[in-house]
Amino acid sequence: MTSSIASRPANADDADARLGAAIRRVRHARGMTLVRLAETTDLSHPFLSQLERGLAQPSLSSLRRIASALETSPIELIAEADAAASAHPAVEVHRQAATDEAVPEGFAAGSARMLARGGRPLHPMEVSGGATEPGEIFVHAEDEFLYVIEGAINIEVEGEQSTLEAGDSAYYAGGVHHRWWSANGRTYRLVVVKQGLRGAGAGRW
């Protein structure tokens, strides 16, 4: 097993501590032990323990492996960590020009940005990409809704493939295996709305 980054000092900043706490909450909600997470991600148990305590920081590659093992995504983990820093406002507005919010996501080698802060009952995000080959298959316990804003995608759900164009949408229940990729080699843009994480308590994922 490997660890992707060296340990950080005991006075690791608040962002590291929040991210570690978010990973720990999701892991507990999934009923997964730290040993099992280490086995699934091929990351070392000591590294993951330090990460959850805010004493280490993951590379994006490691964060993607952790997110995949926990049936979530890197951007949702980051959003959940950020959400711990402040209370949720009753109304949120996100401007299209706020490109600094975009995070390399791993959905079909694309990027994504959250359209609401973590800890909400719903996790809406904007996802864009252009990969023409099917990538890894995703599965998670929560329901998900997908709407194509721009471009066209091939979407595979439980082995059945179809093409969605701008204005088309899909809804699939939790536990369903799915993936998508560009249908024509051009960039696509989607709005994906996922349920908050089940089993983490009211008002949380």
Side-chain angles (χ1 to χ4, degrees):
M1 292 187 179
T2 61
S3 59
S4 294
I5 196 165
S7 299
R8 301 189 65 178
N11 61 346
D13 61 31
D14 289 344
D16 291 344
R18 291 196 304 270
L19 178 59
I23 291 171
R24 184 171 58 250
R25 282 195 298 273
V26 178
R27 179 174 63 79
H28 287 169
R30 296 300 191 204
M32 182 179 288
T33 66
L34 201 58
V35 170
R36 179 57 181 160
L37 182 60
E39 292 172 348
T40 304
T41 59
D42 197 33
L43 297 170
S44 72
H45 182 284
F47 168 73
L48 290 172
S49 178
Q50 289 183 327
L51 177 61
E52 288 194 353
R53 289 182 289 133
L55 302 179
Q57 186 181 58
S59 65
L60 181 58
S61 174
S62 294
L63 188 61
R64 286 194 60 219
R65 288 153 71 181
I66 293 167
S68 178
L70 296 176
E71 299 183 357
T72 185
S73 62
I75 193 170
E76 289 175 284
L77 287 177
I78 293 170
E80 174 70 5
D82 290 344
S86 60
H88 297 304
V91 177
E92 286 186 48
V93 175
H94 293 262
R95 302 293 184 186
Q96 183 177 6
T99 54
D100 59 316
E101 294 182 356
V103 173
E105 171 57 32
F107 287 139
S111 64
R113 66 183 183 109
M114 295 299 294
L115 301 178
R117 298 302 180 189
R120 301 284 193 177
L122 299 176
H123 288 176
M125 60 190 111
E126 181 183 55
V127 179
S128 62
T132 57
E133 296 295 328
E136 60 187 304
I137 295 174
F138 294 90
V139 60
H140 40 74
E142 297 76 34
D143 287 13
E144 189 167 83
F145 171 80
L146 177 155
Y147 180 84
V148 182
I149 304 173
E150 180 182 326
I153 61 168
N154 292 322
I155 182 169
E156 181 182 304
V157 180
E158 292 293 351
E160 296 291 329
Q161 182 180 322
S162 58
T163 299
L164 301 181
E165 300 180 343
D168 295 340
S169 63
Y171 184 104
Y172 32 90
V176 169
H177 295 74
H178 59 280
R179 60 181 172 179
W180 60 77
W181 61 97
S182 174
N184 52 20
R186 299 176 182 174
T187 300
Y188 58 78
R189 197 155 58 95
L190 318 172
V191 167
V192 179
V193 182
K194 180 182 170 186
Q195 275 185 310
L197 183 70
R198 294 178 182 175
R204 305 305 297 177
W205 291 27

